[in-house]
Amino acid sequence: MTSTINSRTADHAIDPLFLERWSPRAFTDEIISEAELKALFEAARWAPSSYNSQPWRFIYARRGTAHWQTLLGLLNEFNQSWAKNAAALVVIVSKETMAVPGKAEEVPSHSHSFDAGAAWANLALQAVRLGWQAHGMVGFDRERALSELKVPAGYRVEAAVAIGKPGDKAQLPEALQSRETPSQRNPISATAFEGAFGA
């Protein structure tokens, strides 16, 4: 992890955990245990959400188990080419309504995707803490995911995630090897504005 940290810099002092998280495509063949994967979901469980609605849902398969090919088959061809070596695949779904105190029926949730994103961030950081990495993807068939994963009405398919131990980039196609490095970030001045947008 040291080389990963050294290749990135933060504008201000932050916990190194945030710099250790990245999105590799090369994975080892190591298997993730059910207990380790559940630890990632436990971290996600403690994410903040509007009215504590906890709209996130995780549909998962570990490599070599009965549902692996179903989840892998939802990915586009490019993502399948490298995610096939991951230890686990996860599809993140969020509930579009929530219960609000004083209301007899559930109401639309403006922040269900935002809240699911908070849970995903917790999962990704916990993965780093346990020696894994989690690579989020939107390159997959969301319509098929609704059907093949039996997602009920009122839920939105958000993203897919590949989880694994970072491996040798030489296993990737040559075009991807040069991209197998942690990404840099825009300066805070480009994303945080006092008082008004772009100020």
Side-chain angles (χ1 to χ4, degrees):
M1 289 301 172
T2 303
S3 60
T4 301
I5 296 173
N6 289 343
S7 69
R8 310 172 87 181
T9 58
D11 289 347
H12 301 276
I14 59 173
D15 191 301
L17 178 67
F18 295 98
L19 300 180
E20 293 171 11
R21 190 218 63 78
W22 65 296
S23 301
R25 291 187 178 92
F27 293 120
T28 70
D29 61 359
E30 188 165 343
I31 298 294
I32 190 169
S33 69
E34 187 82 11
E36 286 176 295
L37 192 54
K38 291 289 179 66
L40 307 191
F41 298 142
E42 177 67 16
R45 188 169 77 96
W46 291 97
S49 60
S50 179
Y51 285 96
N52 194 30
S53 57
Q54 303 171 50
W56 48 81
R57 305 291 186 271
F58 303 105
I59 303 166
Y60 70 92
R62 293 182 300 127
R63 192 176 73 248
T65 62
H67 303 291
W68 174 258
Q69 287 302 326
T70 298
L71 269 70
L72 183 64
L74 295 173
L75 305 182
N76 64 25
E77 186 176 351
F78 171 75
N79 284 332
Q80 284 187 40
S81 72
W82 58 267
K84 65 185 179 184
N85 298 317
L89 292 172
V90 180
V91 172
I92 303 174
V93 175
S94 65
K95 188 178 181 185
E96 297 173 329
T97 61
M98 63 180 175
V100 176
K103 299 282 187 180
E105 297 182 358
E106 292 197 350
V107 300
S109 170
H110 173 75
S111 63
H112 63 94
S113 292
F114 180 80
D115 296 339
W120 142 248
N122 278 17
L123 182 154
L125 292 171
Q126 182 65 24
V128 174
R129 185 65 82 204
L130 297 180
W132 301 88
Q133 288 288 357
H135 185 134
M137 300 169 277
V138 293
F140 69 104
D141 193 323
R142 281 174 285 281
E143 290 302 315
R144 282 180 49 220
L146 286 169
S147 169
E148 295 182 24
L149 304 181
K150 300 178 173 58
V151 179
Y155 289 81
R156 183 179 192 270
V157 177
E158 300 285 356
V161 179
I163 298 167
K165 288 281 179 76
D168 186 350
K169 68 179 181 180
Q171 69 185 264
L172 297 172
E174 188 173 347
L176 285 181
Q177 291 182 25
S178 62
R179 294 168 56 184
E180 191 67 357
T181 185
S183 302
Q184 297 303 314
R185 290 296 183 267
N186 293 328
I188 294 173
S189 60
T191 58
F193 316 113
E194 184 175 5
F197 191 95

